Amino acid sequence: MSETPHEAPGERFLRRSPALQRLLTRPELGSLAGALAVFCCFALAADGFLRASSLGTVLYAASTIGIMAVPVALLMIGGEFDLSAGVMVTSSALLSSMFSYQLTANVWVGVGVSLLVTLAVGAFNGLVLARTGLPSFIVTLGTFLMLTGLNLGLTKLISGTVSTRTVADMEGFDSARALFASTLTLGGVQIKVTVLWWLALTALGSWILLRTRAGNWIFAVGGNENAARAVGVPVTATRTALYMGVALGAWICGQHLLFSYDVVQSGEGVGNELIYIIAAVIGGCLITGGHGSAVGAAVGALLFGMTSKGIVYAEWNPDWFKFFLGAMLLLATLLNTWVRRRAEATK
Amino acid sequence: MARFSTWVGIAVAGALGLSLAGCSGTGGKRAEDARAAAAARGTAAVDTPRWTFAMITHAGDGDTFWDIVQNGARQAAAKDNIRFLYSHDDEAQQQAQLVDAAIDKKVDGIIVTLAKPDALKASLARAREAGIPVVTVNSGSAESKRFGALTHIGQDETIAGEAVGEELNARGREKALCVLHEQGNVGHEQRCDGVAKTFDGTLVRLHVNGTSMPDVQSAIEARLQSDAGVDAVVTLGAPYADTAAKAREGAGSDAEIDTFDLNAKVAAGLKDGSLGFAVDQQPHLQGYEAVDLLWLYRYNADVLGGGRPVLTGPQIITEDDAAALAAYAQRGTR
């Protein structure tokens, strides 16, 4: 995973470089340029893209990806993958719903249990990784398949069908909905509460990466594991915490799914893990670890949301969506690499 | 790099050469173009304003069934002077966002599938607030009215399953296999439940991974090999009937293959006797009627169905009907 030796963590922020060069070495620059380009493109091409209601829809689409893209980006900066992130969202929602329903408990009980179990799955990923020394690609692929099977198997076993029973008439539902799935109106724009979660997680992720010791550990572990271990960075603890961060994101997304639709389909979420990774990579995360940013991942999610909905507003044929996405991923990554090389060459 | 472009050049030249050398006298793109040219160019038959209708389905990418639905919808749109927009996503959350996007665009009518009804409840409420009429198609007959849609057009999956069970009884089958190719699809479960309800023999369910045909084939094959008593295989989608027929050959079984839905291959299979029967829900009709009913509502406030779902199936198709339908299936409308 992490062979490329990078500059020591923290050095980048201490180095006294000209302002322009500092700007150019920011990992989120490429994605910001891309986001602006895509925004302008759809603002011109798509009728109704600039309406207030459309803005709400685009932000919502971006937020449901962004809530996961931020912790996934942190994990990737730490040099690891999580392929179980997509189905973990569904698992978390299913668990919360079925636990409350079967025990006829207040839905908050289910929400709490779901948080603990989802975090445990994240910890499991991190600990198996440390214990076995297998690549995270393999470990989380295993978790992904197991969770997919559990989602379907357990739901069918407990509910008798492939989707859960509704919990909308149970106690605590309204307050939980307010927290995870309400809609606020700000200046004529309907903003889903997930947008606030997304912004909060982005701020938190940025603060951890740039302002705390843990952030330095993340860069160190992703940059060069052995060197990090040698200088006393708690590698296993850092990675486990990163996996638990992804689990936390999955839990927030899962609760949002549950409380906005009050019924959960057990077969969903497969494939979304790649979307989160794409958002992080567009946002300037290196696939080899040690480089990237939380803000970049958030912008990557915004890019994704704008593209997926912009194509609809522009009335283009949706068959081509994946093609655009692939091309955008390549372009964004190339731009990132080029900018970084230029910046490093002028040191 | 130079070498790579040389190879590309060789490949392109080779492909061109081959295509020039080996013209086919029958079938192919030319025959299709001739058919299309022969068909009258669809122009609007009405003088109503050019309304925009959006159709949002739960289809995955590259699904033949939804192609047929779209064909029907586009045909009606051409006739009714409608701008027709189509989008789809198999994730419930994404589908709901696409409906929201259509509402943002202030379209004049929305056609939507309710495969995952709860996820779309809020979006349909938004459409109602915005005063956009909604017609539901294909799935969601139970929720359509409750969510404020004008009409539902489609097939009741349980009733369709029951029709299959009765047909299997009439053919004297003892043990049938119900092949579910999409885990987590409620409609598919209902189909198998319907079959189980009316079928006098035993019904065994087999879950396969519908996104990989070799997987489907080997799973059915293994089942037929291990259980010689199975004398009927019921697939839930037209593309899987052909795969099941291959699996039957591989297993050396003589089970009859029957299927839900229809396509050109199934029609051909019915004609040559390699398939038993198909139960069709007329997807073309679903798309066509959805657009037409929205047009009628906008033009004349007409609503069909009297508050009940309008059924487009089940229609049992056997060897006798297949000959007539093969040509329609070929052009992508059956």
Side-chain angles (χ1 to χ4, degrees), chain B residues 58 65-66 115 137-141 152 154-164 185-195 236 260-261 279-281 286 311 313-314:
Chain B
H58 66 276
F65 178 92
W66 290 102
V137 289
N138 181 267
S139 39
S141 52
H152 175 81
Q155 162 178 274
D156 184 304
E157 302 295 9
T158 315
I159 294 177
E162 288 168 6
V164 170
N185 183 320
V186 184
H188 288 183
E189 303 270 339
Q190 286 171 342
R191 285 180 176 183
C192 287
D193 291 344
V195 178
L236 300 187
F260 281 82
D261 300 342
V279 56
D280 191 32
Q281 56 173 317
Q286 289 176 5
L311 298 185

Short mmCIF file of all heavy atoms in Angstrom, two decimals, chain B residues 58 65-66 115 137-141 152 154-164 185-195 236 260-261 279-281 286 311 313-314:
data_model
loop_
_atom_site.label_atom_id
_atom_site.label_comp_id
_atom_site.label_asym_id
_atom_site.label_seq_id
_atom_site.Cartn_x
_atom_site.Cartn_y
_atom_site.Cartn_z
N HIS B 58 -36.80 2.35 -11.44
CA HIS B 58 -35.81 1.72 -10.54
C HIS B 58 -34.94 0.75 -11.33
O HIS B 58 -34.34 -0.15 -10.75
CB HIS B 58 -36.52 0.97 -9.42
CG HIS B 58 -37.32 -0.20 -9.91
ND1 HIS B 58 -38.58 -0.08 -10.40
CD2 HIS B 58 -37.01 -1.52 -10.00
CE1 HIS B 58 -39.04 -1.26 -10.76
NE2 HIS B 58 -38.09 -2.15 -10.54
N PHE B 65 -35.90 -5.09 -20.43
CA PHE B 65 -37.31 -4.87 -20.11
C PHE B 65 -37.64 -3.38 -20.14
O PHE B 65 -38.63 -2.95 -20.72
CB PHE B 65 -37.61 -5.45 -18.72
CG PHE B 65 -39.02 -5.26 -18.26
CD1 PHE B 65 -39.98 -6.21 -18.51
CD2 PHE B 65 -39.40 -4.11 -17.58
CE1 PHE B 65 -41.29 -6.03 -18.09
CE2 PHE B 65 -40.70 -3.92 -17.16
CZ PHE B 65 -41.65 -4.89 -17.41
N TRP B 66 -36.77 -2.59 -19.52
CA TRP B 66 -37.05 -1.15 -19.42
C TRP B 66 -36.87 -0.43 -20.73
O TRP B 66 -37.45 0.63 -20.97
CB TRP B 66 -36.21 -0.53 -18.30
CG TRP B 66 -36.74 -1.02 -17.01
CD1 TRP B 66 -36.22 -2.00 -16.21
CD2 TRP B 66 -37.98 -0.64 -16.40
NE1 TRP B 66 -37.06 -2.22 -15.15
CE2 TRP B 66 -38.13 -1.40 -15.24
CE3 TRP B 66 -38.97 0.28 -16.73
CZ2 TRP B 66 -39.23 -1.27 -14.40
CZ3 TRP B 66 -40.07 0.42 -15.90
CH2 TRP B 66 -40.19 -0.36 -14.75
N ALA B 115 -41.02 0.51 -6.83
CA ALA B 115 -40.48 -0.77 -6.39
C ALA B 115 -40.11 -0.68 -4.92
O ALA B 115 -40.19 -1.64 -4.17
CB ALA B 115 -39.27 -1.15 -7.22
N VAL B 137 -46.17 3.28 -12.54
CA VAL B 137 -46.19 2.14 -13.45
C VAL B 137 -45.43 0.96 -12.87
O VAL B 137 -44.55 1.12 -12.03
CB VAL B 137 -45.54 2.44 -14.83
CG1 VAL B 137 -46.39 3.35 -15.65
CG2 VAL B 137 -44.15 2.97 -14.68
N ASN B 138 -45.80 -0.22 -13.34
CA ASN B 138 -45.06 -1.46 -13.13
C ASN B 138 -45.08 -2.00 -11.70
O ASN B 138 -45.42 -3.15 -11.50
CB ASN B 138 -43.61 -1.26 -13.62
CG ASN B 138 -42.79 -2.52 -13.47
OD1 ASN B 138 -42.14 -2.69 -12.45
ND2 ASN B 138 -42.89 -3.40 -14.42
N SER B 139 -44.70 -1.19 -10.74
CA SER B 139 -44.71 -1.72 -9.38
C SER B 139 -45.20 -0.66 -8.41
O SER B 139 -44.92 0.52 -8.60
CB SER B 139 -43.30 -2.17 -8.98
OG SER B 139 -42.35 -1.27 -9.46
N GLY B 140 -45.93 -1.09 -7.40
CA GLY B 140 -46.45 -0.18 -6.40
C GLY B 140 -47.96 -0.01 -6.45
O GLY B 140 -48.48 1.03 -6.05
N SER B 141 -48.66 -1.03 -6.94
CA SER B 141 -50.12 -0.91 -7.06
C SER B 141 -50.77 -0.66 -5.70
O SER B 141 -51.78 0.04 -5.61
CB SER B 141 -50.70 -2.17 -7.70
OG SER B 141 -50.26 -3.31 -7.03
N HIS B 152 -52.49 3.68 -11.39
CA HIS B 152 -51.35 2.77 -11.47
C HIS B 152 -51.54 1.84 -12.66
O HIS B 152 -52.63 1.31 -12.86
CB HIS B 152 -51.20 1.95 -10.19
CG HIS B 152 -50.12 0.93 -10.28
ND1 HIS B 152 -48.79 1.25 -10.09
CD2 HIS B 152 -50.14 -0.38 -10.60
CE1 HIS B 152 -48.06 0.16 -10.27
NE2 HIS B 152 -48.85 -0.84 -10.57
N GLY B 154 -49.96 -1.54 -14.45
CA GLY B 154 -48.97 -2.60 -14.32
C GLY B 154 -49.62 -3.93 -14.11
O GLY B 154 -50.79 -4.13 -14.42
N GLN B 155 -48.82 -4.84 -13.59
CA GLN B 155 -49.29 -6.18 -13.37
C GLN B 155 -49.22 -6.44 -11.89
O GLN B 155 -48.25 -6.09 -11.25
CB GLN B 155 -48.37 -7.12 -14.14
CG GLN B 155 -48.43 -8.57 -13.70
CD GLN B 155 -47.53 -9.43 -14.56
OE1 GLN B 155 -47.91 -9.89 -15.62
NE2 GLN B 155 -46.32 -9.65 -14.10
N ASP B 156 -50.26 -7.08 -11.33
CA ASP B 156 -50.18 -7.48 -9.93
C ASP B 156 -49.33 -8.75 -9.88
O ASP B 156 -49.69 -9.78 -10.45
CB ASP B 156 -51.59 -7.76 -9.41
CG ASP B 156 -51.59 -8.08 -7.94
OD1 ASP B 156 -50.86 -9.02 -7.54
OD2 ASP B 156 -52.28 -7.40 -7.19
N GLU B 157 -48.17 -8.66 -9.21
CA GLU B 157 -47.21 -9.76 -9.27
C GLU B 157 -47.77 -11.05 -8.70
O GLU B 157 -47.49 -12.14 -9.17
CB GLU B 157 -45.92 -9.38 -8.55
CG GLU B 157 -45.22 -8.13 -9.08
CD GLU B 157 -44.72 -8.28 -10.51
OE1 GLU B 157 -45.03 -9.28 -11.16
OE2 GLU B 157 -44.02 -7.37 -10.98
N THR B 158 -48.57 -10.94 -7.63
CA THR B 158 -49.13 -12.14 -7.02
C THR B 158 -50.09 -12.82 -7.99
O THR B 158 -50.04 -14.05 -8.17
CB THR B 158 -49.86 -11.78 -5.71
OG1 THR B 158 -49.03 -10.88 -4.98
CG2 THR B 158 -50.12 -13.00 -4.87
N ILE B 159 -50.95 -12.02 -8.63
CA ILE B 159 -51.90 -12.58 -9.60
C ILE B 159 -51.15 -13.26 -10.75
O ILE B 159 -51.51 -14.34 -11.20
CB ILE B 159 -52.83 -11.47 -10.14
CG1 ILE B 159 -53.72 -10.94 -9.01
CG2 ILE B 159 -53.68 -11.99 -11.29
CD1 ILE B 159 -54.62 -9.79 -9.42
N ALA B 160 -50.06 -12.61 -11.19
CA ALA B 160 -49.26 -13.20 -12.27
C ALA B 160 -48.67 -14.53 -11.84
O ALA B 160 -48.68 -15.50 -12.61
CB ALA B 160 -48.14 -12.23 -12.67
N GLY B 161 -48.17 -14.58 -10.60
CA GLY B 161 -47.62 -15.82 -10.06
C GLY B 161 -48.67 -16.91 -10.01
O GLY B 161 -48.42 -18.07 -10.37
N GLU B 162 -49.88 -16.52 -9.59
CA GLU B 162 -50.97 -17.50 -9.50
C GLU B 162 -51.29 -18.06 -10.88
O GLU B 162 -51.54 -19.26 -11.03
CB GLU B 162 -52.22 -16.84 -8.90
CG GLU B 162 -52.07 -16.58 -7.40
CD GLU B 162 -53.16 -15.69 -6.84
OE1 GLU B 162 -54.10 -15.37 -7.60
OE2 GLU B 162 -53.07 -15.32 -5.66
N ALA B 163 -51.27 -17.20 -11.89
CA ALA B 163 -51.54 -17.66 -13.26
C ALA B 163 -50.50 -18.69 -13.70
O ALA B 163 -50.84 -19.69 -14.35
CB ALA B 163 -51.54 -16.48 -14.22
N VAL B 164 -49.25 -18.46 -13.30
CA VAL B 164 -48.20 -19.41 -13.64
C VAL B 164 -48.44 -20.74 -12.95
O VAL B 164 -48.32 -21.81 -13.55
CB VAL B 164 -46.81 -18.84 -13.26
CG1 VAL B 164 -45.73 -19.91 -13.38
CG2 VAL B 164 -46.47 -17.65 -14.13
N ASN B 185 -35.65 -8.15 -3.99
CA ASN B 185 -36.71 -7.55 -4.80
C ASN B 185 -38.07 -8.10 -4.34
O ASN B 185 -38.36 -9.28 -4.49
CB ASN B 185 -36.46 -7.85 -6.28
CG ASN B 185 -37.48 -7.21 -7.18
OD1 ASN B 185 -38.66 -7.18 -6.88
ND2 ASN B 185 -37.02 -6.70 -8.30
N VAL B 186 -38.90 -7.21 -3.80
CA VAL B 186 -40.17 -7.64 -3.21
C VAL B 186 -41.09 -8.22 -4.28
O VAL B 186 -41.76 -9.23 -4.07
CB VAL B 186 -40.87 -6.44 -2.52
CG1 VAL B 186 -42.15 -6.88 -1.83
CG2 VAL B 186 -39.94 -5.82 -1.49
N GLY B 187 -41.12 -7.60 -5.47
CA GLY B 187 -41.97 -8.07 -6.56
C GLY B 187 -41.65 -9.51 -6.94
O GLY B 187 -42.55 -10.31 -7.22
N HIS B 188 -40.37 -9.84 -6.93
CA HIS B 188 -39.96 -11.19 -7.28
C HIS B 188 -40.44 -12.20 -6.24
O HIS B 188 -40.88 -13.29 -6.58
CB HIS B 188 -38.43 -11.25 -7.42
CG HIS B 188 -37.93 -10.55 -8.65
ND1 HIS B 188 -36.62 -10.54 -9.01
CD2 HIS B 188 -38.59 -9.85 -9.59
CE1 HIS B 188 -36.48 -9.85 -10.14
NE2 HIS B 188 -37.67 -9.41 -10.50
N GLU B 189 -40.32 -11.79 -4.99
CA GLU B 189 -40.81 -12.68 -3.91
C GLU B 189 -42.30 -12.93 -4.11
O GLU B 189 -42.78 -14.06 -3.95
CB GLU B 189 -40.58 -12.02 -2.54
CG GLU B 189 -39.14 -11.64 -2.26
CD GLU B 189 -38.36 -12.75 -1.58
OE1 GLU B 189 -39.00 -13.63 -0.98
OE2 GLU B 189 -37.12 -12.75 -1.67
N GLN B 190 -43.04 -11.86 -4.45
CA GLN B 190 -44.49 -12.00 -4.63
C GLN B 190 -44.81 -12.95 -5.78
O GLN B 190 -45.77 -13.71 -5.70
CB GLN B 190 -45.12 -10.63 -4.92
CG GLN B 190 -45.19 -9.74 -3.69
CD GLN B 190 -45.60 -8.32 -4.04
OE1 GLN B 190 -45.52 -7.90 -5.20
NE2 GLN B 190 -46.04 -7.56 -3.04
N ARG B 191 -44.01 -12.91 -6.83
CA ARG B 191 -44.25 -13.81 -7.96
C ARG B 191 -44.13 -15.26 -7.52
O ARG B 191 -44.99 -16.08 -7.81
CB ARG B 191 -43.23 -13.53 -9.07
CG ARG B 191 -43.53 -12.28 -9.84
CD ARG B 191 -42.49 -12.05 -10.93
NE ARG B 191 -42.83 -10.87 -11.72
CZ ARG B 191 -42.14 -10.47 -12.78
NH1 ARG B 191 -41.07 -11.15 -13.15
NH2 ARG B 191 -42.51 -9.41 -13.47
N CYS B 192 -43.03 -15.57 -6.79
CA CYS B 192 -42.84 -16.94 -6.34
C CYS B 192 -43.94 -17.33 -5.35
O CYS B 192 -44.42 -18.46 -5.37
CB CYS B 192 -41.46 -17.10 -5.69
SG CYS B 192 -40.12 -17.09 -6.88
N ASP B 193 -44.33 -16.38 -4.48
CA ASP B 193 -45.41 -16.67 -3.52
C ASP B 193 -46.69 -17.00 -4.28
O ASP B 193 -47.42 -17.92 -3.90
CB ASP B 193 -45.67 -15.45 -2.61
CG ASP B 193 -44.52 -15.22 -1.65
OD1 ASP B 193 -43.70 -16.15 -1.49
OD2 ASP B 193 -44.43 -14.12 -1.06
N GLY B 194 -46.98 -16.26 -5.34
CA GLY B 194 -48.17 -16.50 -6.15
C GLY B 194 -48.16 -17.88 -6.78
O GLY B 194 -49.16 -18.59 -6.77
N VAL B 195 -46.98 -18.26 -7.31
CA VAL B 195 -46.85 -19.58 -7.90
C VAL B 195 -47.13 -20.64 -6.84
O VAL B 195 -47.90 -21.59 -7.05
CB VAL B 195 -45.44 -19.80 -8.51
CG1 VAL B 195 -45.31 -21.20 -9.08
CG2 VAL B 195 -45.16 -18.77 -9.59
N LEU B 236 -37.67 -15.53 -13.62
CA LEU B 236 -38.47 -14.32 -13.38
C LEU B 236 -38.15 -13.19 -14.35
O LEU B 236 -38.67 -12.09 -14.20
CB LEU B 236 -38.26 -13.84 -11.94
CG LEU B 236 -38.66 -14.84 -10.85
CD1 LEU B 236 -38.57 -14.20 -9.48
CD2 LEU B 236 -40.05 -15.37 -11.08
N PHE B 260 -41.28 -15.56 -16.76
CA PHE B 260 -42.00 -14.30 -16.73
C PHE B 260 -41.39 -13.40 -17.80
O PHE B 260 -40.19 -13.50 -18.07
CB PHE B 260 -41.83 -13.61 -15.37
CG PHE B 260 -42.71 -14.17 -14.29
CD1 PHE B 260 -42.35 -15.32 -13.62
CD2 PHE B 260 -43.91 -13.56 -13.97
CE1 PHE B 260 -43.15 -15.85 -12.63
CE2 PHE B 260 -44.73 -14.09 -12.97
CZ PHE B 260 -44.35 -15.23 -12.30
N ASP B 261 -42.19 -12.54 -18.37
CA ASP B 261 -41.73 -11.57 -19.37
C ASP B 261 -41.30 -12.22 -20.69
O ASP B 261 -41.15 -13.43 -20.78
CB ASP B 261 -40.62 -10.67 -18.81
CG ASP B 261 -41.10 -9.90 -17.59
OD1 ASP B 261 -42.33 -9.81 -17.40
OD2 ASP B 261 -40.26 -9.40 -16.83
N VAL B 279 -45.19 -15.68 -19.29
CA VAL B 279 -46.29 -14.87 -18.80
C VAL B 279 -45.87 -13.41 -18.96
O VAL B 279 -44.88 -12.98 -18.40
CB VAL B 279 -46.70 -15.25 -17.36
CG1 VAL B 279 -45.53 -15.15 -16.42
CG2 VAL B 279 -47.84 -14.39 -16.88
N ASP B 280 -46.63 -12.70 -19.79
CA ASP B 280 -46.19 -11.37 -20.20
C ASP B 280 -46.98 -10.29 -19.50
O ASP B 280 -48.16 -10.44 -19.23
CB ASP B 280 -46.35 -11.23 -21.71
CG ASP B 280 -45.66 -9.98 -22.23
OD1 ASP B 280 -44.64 -9.59 -21.64
OD2 ASP B 280 -46.16 -9.38 -23.20
N GLN B 281 -46.30 -9.18 -19.18
CA GLN B 281 -47.03 -8.05 -18.57
C GLN B 281 -47.06 -6.86 -19.50
O GLN B 281 -47.41 -5.76 -19.11
CB GLN B 281 -46.41 -7.67 -17.24
CG GLN B 281 -44.94 -7.33 -17.29
CD GLN B 281 -44.45 -6.79 -15.96
OE1 GLN B 281 -45.10 -5.97 -15.33
NE2 GLN B 281 -43.29 -7.25 -15.53
N GLN B 286 -47.26 -0.56 -20.77
CA GLN B 286 -47.10 0.21 -19.52
C GLN B 286 -46.53 1.60 -19.82
O GLN B 286 -47.02 2.61 -19.31
CB GLN B 286 -46.18 -0.54 -18.55
CG GLN B 286 -46.84 -1.77 -17.96
CD GLN B 286 -45.90 -2.57 -17.06
OE1 GLN B 286 -44.77 -2.17 -16.80
NE2 GLN B 286 -46.37 -3.72 -16.61
N LEU B 311 -54.60 -3.10 -15.08
CA LEU B 311 -53.68 -4.24 -15.23
C LEU B 311 -53.28 -4.43 -16.69
O LEU B 311 -54.11 -4.36 -17.60
CB LEU B 311 -54.33 -5.52 -14.71
CG LEU B 311 -54.68 -5.52 -13.22
CD1 LEU B 311 -55.21 -6.89 -12.79
CD2 LEU B 311 -53.48 -5.15 -12.37
N GLY B 313 -51.39 -7.20 -17.37
CA GLY B 313 -51.06 -8.61 -17.42
C GLY B 313 -51.75 -9.32 -16.28
O GLY B 313 -52.52 -8.68 -15.55
N PRO B 314 -51.57 -10.60 -16.06
CA PRO B 314 -50.70 -11.50 -16.82
C PRO B 314 -51.37 -12.01 -18.10
O PRO B 314 -52.57 -12.22 -18.13
CB PRO B 314 -50.49 -12.65 -15.86
CG PRO B 314 -51.71 -12.67 -15.01
CD PRO B 314 -52.18 -11.27 -14.91
#
